[in-house]
Amino acid sequence: MDRIRLVGGNELRGEISISGAKNAALPLMIASLLTDEPLVLHNVPRLADVKQLERILENHGVDIAVHGRRRGEEEGVGQRMTFHAADIVDTTAPYDLVSKMRASFWVIGPLLARCHEARVSLPGGCAIGTRPVDLFLFGLKQLGAEIDIDEGYVVASAPKGGLVGATVSFPKVSVGATHTILMAAALARGTTIIENAAQEPEITNVAECLVAMGAKISGIGTRTLTVEGVEKLHGATVEVIPDRIETGTFAMAAAMTGGDVLLKGARPEHLQAALDILAQTGTELSSEASGIRVRRNGNGIQPVDVDTDPFPGFPTDLQAQFMALMTMSSGVSEIRETIFENRYMHVAELARFGADIAVNGQVATITGRPQLKGAQVMATDLRASVSLVIAGLAAKGETVVNRIYHLDRGFERLEDKLSRCGAKIERLAG
Ligand code: EPZ
């Protein structure tokens, strides 16, 4: 299994191009199931999760093409891909494919809307929490679906003539359930109102893609989405938004190591809450035409308390990285994780660097230390893994991060991007 070796202590200086957002690319790819015409996506990141979803879509009959780089186009620019679901050949998403990645469960929405039936394996729990699917099933039932659980599969069928628009008032905000009901409602008969919808920029990217495909959606970017179902959707060409979690991750890395990094293509409005918190830590941030510049001026890292929240709040997907930063603050800070019940696996690994963190239920109390020391650590999930890389960049001496396949699920060319900014980082094969 590959590992990453780092020697900490170098400031980060230079430019990093932000890749397309994983969490937008995945549902955009799934939206291709809604039409028999091609959906062209620009700026798709090269990630293991994208590859995994390709396998799932191919199993349903989607033809996938990756187009070459255009002349003059920068190396490393996101992929241009076409997804063409001319015929859905199979409405089952099997266990061995779905169990590898939770987002693959979301195919249930478009399959049910277009084919009026779907049999999708339950995704199961995962490292960061139990992550049930009750909100998805609640929403689909509101649209008239009949749902059974059979041998670990959700077996869903639409009424004769297809799903029917309804009001879906979510008791809790869920990104995945919002994507799924939005896609299902696009082809339902009549009007659907989604209340307490997730407002993440990735939802907006998908909603705008659906509109480009002929869907009628209003309230995009708000907590209430109104969808007038249409009979058919058509092909479109859509750009994947820049990855706000990758942006926040590199911003926190630069805040921790010091230096001066331009995050090219980053959109500040997609992570304002995180940028505001970073500014309170003493990090200098400025918006430039080409992205966000992050600088640390050597005045030390101020401790700041943070609660994770749905967008526009501070993202849970940046919680581990922020904790890494706080381990070197000049005082005591508290983080409260409100989205997932078990998203503190990085705590024990950060302790291996000498970090002082106490967890009590949802709250982690971090007492900053002037210096971390490099260590052998183990990646546990995607965002936890990158928090260990950030800690390693700032720690004294050598760090080896084991089990880095998690990183490849969600960070494109991580070592390359960091080493171009002066980090001593390399991948060790095997
Ligand atoms: C999305 O997951 C992201 N994944 C996650 O990123 C992210 O952490 C999460 O949203 C929150 O922002 C993708 O976009 C592919 P949720 P999702 O449904 O949709 C509970 C990463 O590292 N819930 O908004 O699965 C759930 O257990 C990943 O890139 C129910 O109770 O998250 C959680 O506590 C990790 N019932 C809360 O809602 C349900 O039916 C929010 O989860 C569904 C969810």
Side-chain angles (χ1 to χ4, degrees), residues 132-149:
V133 293
D134 54 320
L135 299 173
F136 294 74
L137 305 189
F138 160 77
L140 294 172
K141 280 183 190 162
Q142 298 296 103
L143 301 187
E146 259 192 42
I147 293 183
D148 279 321
I149 308 290

Side-chain angles (χ1 to χ4, degrees), residues 328-412:
M328 278 178 59
S329 86
S330 56
V332 179
S333 58
E334 271 189 7
I335 295 181
R336 206 160 67 91
E337 170 58 57
T338 73
I339 309 289
F340 292 109
E341 73 269 29
N342 186 27
R343 209 169 195 187
Y344 281 141
M345 277 99 53
H346 42 285
V347 168
E349 296 304 304
L350 287 172
R352 301 172 70 85
F353 292 96
D356 181 349
I357 306 166
V359 176
N360 186 0
Q362 285 180 300
V363 179
T365 305
I366 306 116
T367 306
R369 291 262 164 100
Q371 185 66 66
L372 301 181
K373 279 198 195 137
Q376 286 263 354
V377 290
M378 180 97 75
T380 48
D381 73 76
L382 172 55
R383 311 302 176 185
S385 312
V386 85
S387 76
L388 304 177
V389 172
I390 293 180
L393 290 174
K396 197 162 181 236
E398 183 180 282
T399 289
V400 176
V401 186
N402 294 292
R403 287 213 193 150
I404 55 159
Y405 56 84
H406 292 288
L407 282 173
D408 296 330
R409 291 186 46 201
F411 287 94
E412 191 178 46

Side-chain angles (χ1 to χ4, degrees), residues 191-250:
T191 306
T192 298
I193 299 173
I194 308 176
E195 295 174 343
N196 205 18
Q199 280 176 289
E200 271 63 5
E202 294 77 17
I203 301 274
T204 297
N205 203 182
V206 168
E208 285 172 352
C209 168
L210 295 175
V211 169
M213 292 166 74
K216 295 195 175 135
I217 305 173
S218 58
I220 294 176
T222 74
R223 279 262 173 268
T224 306
L225 295 164
T226 304
V227 189
E228 301 282 343
V230 295
E231 213 162 287
K232 224 173 156 2
L233 293 175
H234 51 72
T237 299
V238 172
E239 172 125 0
V240 179
I241 56 172
D243 195 315
R244 65 194 165 101
I245 304 304
E246 190 197 24
T247 304
T249 300
F250 287 129

Side-chain angles (χ1 to χ4, degrees), residues 158-192:
K160 211 161 173 267
L163 296 172
V164 187
T167 296
V168 177
S169 187
F170 284 121
K172 180 174 182 179
V173 178
S174 160
V175 171
T178 302
H179 280 310
T180 302
I181 300 307
L182 188 59
M183 291 193 218
L187 287 181
R189 285 174 289 148
T191 306
T192 298

